[in-house]
Amino acid sequence: MNSLHKEKQQSQAEVFSKKAGVLISSQFIEIGYVKTIKVLLVIYMDMINGRQEMAIRFENHFPADCSKTRVSKVGTIDEDELDVLIKSISILKNQVFQSYPEHYTEVSFLSRAGLEVGSCFADNSWDFFLKLDQNDDSTNVSLAVDDAQVLLDILQKLKGHIINLK
């Protein structure tokens, strides 16, 4: 693989949804927003054998270069990564953002599909971010430290939806 053309990583649910020779239904349930990022629960159903996979989808619309059009960018995590993401954001909110390191510091969570949630400490303060694709700097969304609680609330609501669907 050429290092200039990195293949986009996919979540297990995305791989499931793109299977050939299968009739797949995709249901998108909007859960909420943190800043400009829409958070959705996606349910993929194999309509032949009834098997389903769920994923959490983060969507943002960025301005395209030199035009007035907007480009949609998407980041995904699998359902089985949700608890770790919730725990990671809780640690960021309750421990990391309360600390004051002596040196430049980065802390981040990375999903299988390349979604990154994290923070960096520089100039005596923490910056919080969500990067929809770790290999594409244009997908980085800056968030306020206070947005960590908003994101946690959305993810807890989403977790409740998943529990009710099982």
Side-chain angles (χ1 to χ4, degrees):
M1 176 168 54
N2 185 335
S3 63
L4 294 176
H5 297 300
K6 290 185 178 179
E7 219 175 280
K8 177 156 174 22
Q9 299 166 328
Q10 293 186 319
S11 70
Q12 293 171 348
E14 288 172 315
V15 170
F16 174 83
S17 73
K18 292 176 177 37
K19 271 199 238 177
V22 180
L23 181 63
I24 298 287
S25 164
S26 303
Q27 183 179 14
F28 299 84
I29 302 168
E30 186 176 311
I31 304 298
Y33 280 84
V34 57
K35 298 282 188 197
T36 59
I37 301 168
K38 184 183 343 181
V39 181
L40 303 108
L41 172 62
V42 184
I43 304 168
Y44 300 108
M45 171 77 76
D46 178 334
M47 297 185 74
I48 294 171
N49 69 20
R51 186 169 168 251
Q52 75 175 18
E53 290 276 337
M54 290 187 248
I56 294 83
R57 180 176 168 117
F58 299 83
E59 293 181 1
N60 201 8
H61 304 284
F62 296 87
D65 293 336
C66 301
S67 74
K68 294 180 181 178
T69 60
R70 299 181 74 71
V71 175
S72 285
K73 300 285 184 164
V74 174
T76 306
I77 68 166
D78 284 315
E79 172 194 357
D80 68 345
E81 295 176 294
L82 180 58
D83 285 337
V84 177
L85 177 58
I86 289 170
K87 181 72 172 170
S88 297
I89 295 169
S90 294
I91 291 170
L92 283 169
K93 178 183 171 280
N94 297 318
Q95 295 175 26
V96 174
F97 295 157
Q98 308 306 316
S99 69
Y100 295 92
E102 194 174 319
H103 305 286
Y104 175 82
T105 303
E106 296 178 356
V107 180
S108 65
F109 165 87
L110 183 63
S111 77
R112 279 182 205 105
L115 177 115
E116 185 177 4
V117 178
S119 187
C120 60
F121 185 84
D123 299 325
N124 226 16
S125 68
W126 285 102
D127 291 321
F128 183 43
F129 66 88
L130 195 150
K131 192 172 188 179
L132 301 174
D133 180 349
Q134 77 180 62
N135 297 317
D136 184 351
D137 288 338
S138 73
T139 67
N140 193 39
V141 179
S142 292
L143 300 170
V145 168
D146 292 341
D147 292 327
Q149 185 59 54
V150 175
L151 187 53
L152 278 172
D153 292 344
I154 290 168
L155 295 175
Q156 289 292 356
K157 181 179 176 183
L158 193 145
K159 186 174 177 178
H161 276 304
I162 291 171
I163 291 167
N164 288 335
L165 289 168
K166 290 189 171 189

